[in-house]
Amino acid sequence: MGKANLMAKPLAGARLRARWNELRNWWRPVLLLMRRELKDQLRDWRILFPLVGFTAFFPLLMLFTARRMAAFVEQYGAEILAERLYPFLILVVGFFPLTISLVVALESFAGERERGTIEPLLLLPVEDAQLYFGKLLSMLVLPLLASYAGIAAYLGIMAWRIHWFPEPMLLLMVWVLTTVQAFVMISAAVMISTQATSVRAANLLATAIVVPVALLLQSESMLMFWRRYTALWYYVAGLLLTAVLMTRVGLAHFNRENLLGRDLDVLTLAWFKRTFRRAFWGNARGLGDWYRTQVLPELRTLARPFGFAVLLFVLAFVLGHRVTTAQLERIPPEVIQQYTQGKGLARIAALQSWISLAQGQQGLGMVAALFLHNLRALVLAAFLGFFTFGVAGLLIAMMPIALWGAMSALAAYVEMPSLLPLILPHGVVEIPAILLFAASLLHLGAYWATPTREKTLGTVWLEGVARWLKVFVGVVLPLFLLAAVLEVYLTPRVALLFMGK
Amino acid sequence: MIRAERLSKAFDGFWAVRDVSLTVHKGEILALLGPNGAGKTTTVRMLSAILAPTTGEAWVDGYSVREHPQEVRRRVGVLTEHHGLYRRMTVEEYLAFFADVYELPETVKRERIAHWLRFFDLWAFRHRRIGELSKGMRQKVALTRALLHHPRALLLDEPTSAMDPESAYLVRQAVAALRSEERAIILCTHNLVEAESLADRIAVLHRGRVVALGTAEELKRRFLGPKRYRVLLAEDRAEAPPLPPGFRLVARSPRAFEVHPPNGEGDNVHLIRTLVHAGWPVVRVEAVPYTLEQAYLALMKQVHAQEAAQSGQEEPTHG
């Protein structure tokens, strides 16, 4: 036994060493490619000049902004506003050098293709993943270093001139957020670069990165201003997931042949129409046939994401309930009572006026208004979902459920009547519709992230949208329309009946 | 060493290469000739495992380009159509980068870089940025890149294009030396003199297909017919020359005429005897030199004629 143990130890050690060597050998060409790319970048004044400029200039500009802002708000005794601004400015200082990374990453493959240097690179005996990671990492290093240097300079200046020292947790969060943000932008840009036929095309496609990142920064600034740092950690998690998915998609569709072979920049509307029609309509002979041959099989593919969405919705409900309960326990019951007193009566009055309005000519208008309200939320969720492989869309779809959990916690705490009669009549239709919507977004994200080398990214993207639209137009929207009708004509009556009025 | 069987490649329904079968042995040079767009570069890209064949298969040093592309890439050295050098790197840095990726040990790396740079007269320029070099020098750097890892198979696309005669001579010398080192070489070129002087066999591609394959002599015989001999005379003769049986007169001028002997050069004894006997002042009998260019042009003429005949057959008939 002792001998066996002695034998096992060196064996395990040897295996570990072999694994380590394997890993080192795998990363060796990645690092070589990265080093070469970095050398090239460091010799290009068009990259260096703005990078150094942004790194040196923005901390000074932000110091100026911070001081002016502080002087202004101090006049009104609102020093707290200035303090809230300082952390946000760290994010701004860190972000600007990253914009350069976007420009460089967009031309990572497209530029090599245009300059004719791609072929010797593709001839190297390295795996696609090694080539891809070599490029990806090299695009990250310089801008990130510049970004960290900018942040350090800003913090130094702020400490010296304003004596402001951020808490370590905030610093860590900003550092991680900046890094993850860079990872998202660069992974998206490199992915675009592998698919674009020229640098010009890649730059034009960059709108798909710039717009969501601008929205992201705005929401981050709001959260920073309100000191919702915990929420920002969720952002970090979401962004990291998005970046990993982007890298996976980029790798899945990385094709040496496409990088060499495709030369055309022409938008072929006929291809667009043909691909979309094939994925959306198939060979259906009419609406009934479309539902039978296209929509139903598509719904069957959603079984697993639907189950996953149910699970997430239950989690959202529980989370909403628990967070609200925890918050309510901090507030004295009499305060809550004071706020909720008479709310039941007011609700009954509101329901009665709702019913009388619905009975009149305004009924259809109310249905339209409700439907359009939901449609707007769905379109926003889908739009954000398209840029985040369904993740952001899913989060938005989960919000009403979390809110329901919160409201039910509140109802239980102050002994309000149950909310179920207000939700269930139309909820029977609306909740499965939201679940289906969430499941279709999840499926879309998975479809985009699944390796399909025989198809280009453009084809997969278009097919994914067409398949998602099949479910959205064919099932989700009709269900939401039906739910709006029920909400106007049935829910108030059921609720009143339940309340005994 | 290099073997292709019915290798084909289609791009969006267009067949760039169709059913190409060829073999290149160790120590052999095969020249790929053909007009622009004939499929030479696509064939080279498939053989170097960066384009996957649509149908057919190819092997380099026993490794399939479909199943082991990585191993194939490790074993081939490719001089690409466009040299594709990084202009901001120095010559030495550039070559060192490729040598590192090919995992050459440090001493071997230094030795090989020095050897090839000296061979191509680039040693003095090793610290220069590639962007500062002339077109011919860049071509030599690209060729060095292809040779650094001692590949078993070499695929050279226009190796002497843009080079001055001296550099081109150096490159041809290098290619010949590599052949003697038992490497299999495919040479794509438009330079027919170079192809004739270097290649053991020649394949002519047209619209993606191999339309002729053989040694330069075989191609000349096939497309230009048997050898001609020119007879030079000391004085003008207006009448037709007396010819022994089987000889065919193909061209004539007052002081010279050309003939096809029935069975080759040996029959010229009868010709000379007949002419001397008839009192013709023969000064010299020499073989008329056939060039590969003539054979190539004759082949292309034949191919175009066949295409024209085919398209004529495919024309819809009216009435």
Side-chain angles (χ1 to χ4, degrees):
Chain A
M1 181 134 173
K3 199 176 173 186
N5 264 344
L6 276 175
M7 289 287 284
K9 262 192 182 169
L11 265 180
R15 224 177 291 142
L16 210 68
R17 256 197 314 278
R19 182 84 193 100
W20 165 248
N21 281 339
E22 206 178 286
L23 207 69
R24 211 177 50 177
N25 287 340
W26 196 90
W27 281 99
R28 202 182 146 273
V30 175
L31 297 178
L32 282 171
L33 288 161
M34 187 180 106
R35 199 175 64 185
R36 194 216 68 76
E37 192 72 45
L38 280 174
K39 253 186 203 170
D40 218 42
Q41 286 176 24
L42 283 168
R43 284 174 185 169
D44 193 342
W45 66 267
R46 290 165 302 181
I47 298 171
L48 273 190
F49 187 71
L51 211 58
V52 174
F54 280 169
T55 312
F57 172 67
F58 271 89
L60 294 171
L61 182 69
M62 290 305 117
L63 172 74
F64 173 75
T65 311
R67 294 178 89 170
R68 298 288 294 187
M69 180 77 177
F72 178 74
V73 292
E74 261 171 32
Q75 293 172 34
Y76 305 97
E79 288 85 352
I80 192 170
L81 286 181
E83 275 178 30
R84 296 280 173 91
L85 187 74
Y86 299 158
F88 167 64
L89 293 180
I90 311 178
L91 212 61
V92 174
V93 168
F95 180 75
F96 272 92
L98 295 184
T99 53
I100 305 295
S101 71
L102 197 64
V103 180
V104 183
L106 278 169
E107 70 113 59
S108 54
F109 284 103
E112 290 239 23
R113 208 179 114 95
E114 239 171 43
R115 291 188 293 273
T117 51
I118 194 89
E119 197 169 348
L121 204 63
L122 298 179
L123 279 163
L124 288 174
V126 293
E127 291 171 25
D128 290 351
Q130 289 170 319
L131 209 55
Y132 197 85
F133 279 118
K135 281 278 182 193
L136 187 75
L137 292 178
S138 64
M139 301 297 144
L140 266 170
V141 174
L142 271 190
L144 264 185
L145 285 180
S147 181
Y148 297 157
I151 290 174
Y154 172 73
L155 291 174
I157 293 172
M158 290 294 280
W160 177 41
R161 303 305 295 262
I162 299 183
H163 306 294
W164 179 73
F165 300 93
E167 40 195 293
M169 202 51 179
L170 169 72
L171 263 186
L172 178 72
M173 199 265 296
V174 171
W175 179 71
V176 175
L177 196 60
T178 305
T179 311
V180 173
Q181 226 154 240
F183 187 20
V184 170
M185 285 166 64
I186 287 166
S187 53
V190 172
M191 182 180 78
I192 287 175
S193 192
T194 59
Q195 299 294 319
T197 47
S198 61
V199 176
R200 181 167 167 254
N203 282 327
L204 290 172
L205 285 169
T207 338
I209 305 171
V210 175
V211 173
V213 168
L215 290 173
L216 186 81
L217 271 182
Q218 282 183 27
S219 63
E220 280 171 6
S221 65
M222 269 158 51
L223 289 171
M224 277 217 150
F225 204 72
W226 293 109
R227 281 180 73 91
R228 296 284 186 264
Y229 298 151
T230 320
L232 282 171
W233 281 112
Y234 292 119
Y235 265 58
V236 168
L239 284 173
L240 195 63
L241 183 68
T242 308
V244 170
L245 283 172
M246 293 255 193
T247 310
R248 185 181 146 81
V249 172
L251 251 176
H253 297 277
F254 182 80
N255 188 329
R256 289 183 193 234
E257 191 161 330
N258 272 350
L259 278 170
L260 269 182
R262 284 194 301 144
D263 278 326
L264 291 174
D265 246 346
V266 183
L267 174 68
T268 44
L269 280 174
W271 164 83
F272 189 90
K273 205 175 132 188
R274 197 172 53 239
T275 311
F276 184 83
R277 196 190 149 87
R278 196 174 47 225
F280 184 77
W281 191 256
N283 295 319
R285 287 184 296 273
L287 195 63
D289 196 37
W290 179 66
Y291 266 100
R292 202 173 45 253
T293 60
Q294 298 296 317
V295 180
L296 271 179
E298 195 62 48
L299 284 178
R300 271 186 220 118
T301 64
L302 294 182
R304 201 180 287 177
F306 191 84
F308 193 57
V310 169
L311 196 74
L312 287 174
F313 276 35
V314 170
L315 279 176
F317 184 88
V318 172
L319 201 72
H321 194 282
R322 291 195 68 167
V323 169
T324 312
T325 309
Q327 294 291 326
L328 285 171
E329 275 165 6
R330 291 187 197 167
I331 307 167
E334 57 275 14
V335 176
I336 298 170
Q337 210 67 45
Q338 195 186 327
Y339 271 94
T340 51
Q341 226 165 24
K343 286 277 156 67
L345 285 174
R347 190 185 291 165
I348 290 167
L351 286 171
Q352 280 167 341
S353 74
W354 180 278
I355 291 169
S356 62
L357 279 173
Q359 276 169 343
Q361 286 182 338
Q362 281 159 306
L364 281 179
M366 288 161 75
V367 170
L370 271 176
F371 177 70
L372 288 176
H373 170 79
N374 286 336
L375 181 66
R376 197 176 50 189
L378 289 173
V379 168
L380 177 72
F383 177 75
L384 291 176
F386 282 0
F387 290 104
T388 54
F389 296 91
V391 178
L394 186 72
L395 289 175
I396 292 178
M398 281 160 69
M399 272 182 194
I401 309 296
L403 205 65
W404 183 17
M407 293 298 284
S408 63
L410 185 70
Y413 201 77
V414 296
E415 291 166 8
M416 274 166 58
S418 165
L419 289 170
L420 276 181
L422 279 172
I423 293 170
L424 266 192
H426 65 279
V428 167
V429 179
E430 201 172 275
I431 294 170
I434 305 176
L435 278 167
L436 206 57
F437 173 75
S440 66
L441 273 181
L442 271 175
H443 187 254
L444 176 72
Y447 184 69
W448 282 344
T450 307
T452 35
R453 274 174 192 244
E454 64 279 9
K455 291 178 186 174
T456 63
L457 190 61
T459 309
V460 173
W461 190 87
L462 197 58
E463 280 180 359
V465 172
R467 288 180 64 182
W468 174 81
L469 267 175
K470 263 195 281 198
V471 178
F472 188 66
V473 174
V475 187
V476 174
L477 284 187
L479 284 180
F480 265 96
L481 190 63
L482 179 63
V485 172
L486 292 176
E487 197 169 348
V488 169
Y489 294 108
L490 186 67
T491 303
R493 288 169 198 277
V494 174
L496 282 179
L497 215 74
F498 192 79
M499 290 172 180
K501 295 284 160 182
Chain B
M1 181 65 79
I2 302 173
R3 187 156 66 92
E5 269 179 21
R6 299 181 67 89
L7 202 61
S8 304
K9 181 72 194 173
F11 295 107
D12 294 327
F14 167 74
W15 290 93
V17 171
R18 198 83 199 247
D19 290 334
V20 167
S21 297
L22 44 89
T23 309
V24 190
H25 302 284
K26 278 182 199 170
E28 187 185 21
I29 299 178
L30 174 83
L32 272 187
L33 306 182
N36 292 330
K40 301 187 295 287
T41 302
T42 306
T43 305
V44 165
R45 283 176 173 175
M46 280 193 281
L47 292 174
S48 52
I50 47 172
L51 285 187
T54 308
T55 59
E57 178 60 288
W59 297 265
V60 174
D61 201 17
Y63 287 97
S64 151
V65 294
R66 279 179 191 279
E67 283 158 32
H68 302 105
Q70 197 94 314
E71 291 305 322
V72 170
R73 286 198 287 267
R74 208 177 282 283
R75 282 163 175 78
V76 294
V78 185
L79 176 71
T80 50
E81 192 182 6
H82 307 287
H83 52 68
L85 307 168
Y86 295 116
R87 301 167 63 95
R88 275 189 286 270
M89 291 181 100
T90 67
V91 173
E92 202 169 36
E93 276 174 350
Y94 181 78
L95 295 173
F97 162 67
F98 279 87
D100 285 338
V101 179
Y102 280 108
E103 297 174 26
L104 297 188
E106 199 56 36
T107 46
V108 177
K109 177 176 95 177
R110 258 185 266 134
E111 256 171 45
R112 284 201 196 152
I113 290 175
H115 168 78
W116 286 112
L117 288 184
R118 285 204 171 98
F119 184 88
F120 288 127
D121 288 335
L122 286 173
W123 183 246
F125 301 93
R126 67 189 183 281
H127 298 308
R128 284 267 187 95
R129 294 267 165 92
I130 290 172
E132 296 165 9
L133 301 181
S134 71
K135 222 170 164 185
M137 282 174 164
R138 287 185 214 166
Q139 182 80 346
K140 286 194 274 187
V141 175
L143 188 57
T144 308
R145 173 192 70 209
L147 300 173
L148 269 182
H149 57 295
H150 268 201
R152 313 284 295 267
L154 269 167
L155 309 170
L156 309 175
D157 206 344
E158 296 287 341
T160 55
S161 69
M163 280 187 184
D164 58 78
E166 201 185 339
S167 300
Y169 173 74
L170 271 180
V171 169
R172 279 197 288 273
Q173 259 194 326
V175 173
L178 289 162
R179 170 180 36 202
S180 63
E181 284 176 20
E182 296 283 278
R183 292 173 213 283
I185 302 171
I186 289 184
L187 180 77
C188 297
T189 183
H190 288 299
N191 185 337
L192 299 175
V193 177
E194 186 175 280
E196 193 172 2
S197 67
L198 280 175
D200 300 298
R201 284 183 307 138
I202 291 160
V204 183
L205 282 176
H206 180 72
R207 292 185 198 267
R209 290 178 190 272
V210 176
V211 287
L213 177 66
T215 62
E217 286 312 311
E218 281 167 357
L219 293 184
K220 284 181 204 168
R221 215 171 20 248
R222 195 170 138 200
F223 297 104
L224 298 173
K227 262 197 172 165
R228 294 173 178 203
Y229 291 87
R230 184 182 293 130
V231 179
L232 297 168
L233 304 172
E235 59 194 46
D236 289 359
R237 283 292 171 109
E239 69 274 25
L243 297 175
F247 272 80
R248 195 157 54 87
L249 184 70
V250 282
R252 202 180 79 168
S253 67
R255 279 210 178 195
F257 61 90
E258 288 175 15
V259 289
H260 270 313
N263 304 308
E265 201 169 18
D267 289 342
N268 286 344
V269 178
H270 306 299
L271 174 69
I272 296 166
R273 198 179 290 148
T274 308
L275 288 170
V276 171
H277 189 71
W280 279 58
V282 177
V283 176
R284 197 161 72 228
V285 178
E286 62 187 17
V288 176
Y290 281 169
T291 61
L292 185 62
E293 186 178 49
Q294 285 171 310
Y296 177 81
L297 292 175
L299 162 66
M300 282 301 142
K301 202 172 165 186
Q302 195 177 310
V303 168
H304 293 317
Q306 273 171 6
E307 278 177 350
Q310 268 173 8
S311 67
Q313 278 173 1
E314 282 162 18
E315 288 272 317
T317 48
H318 298 285

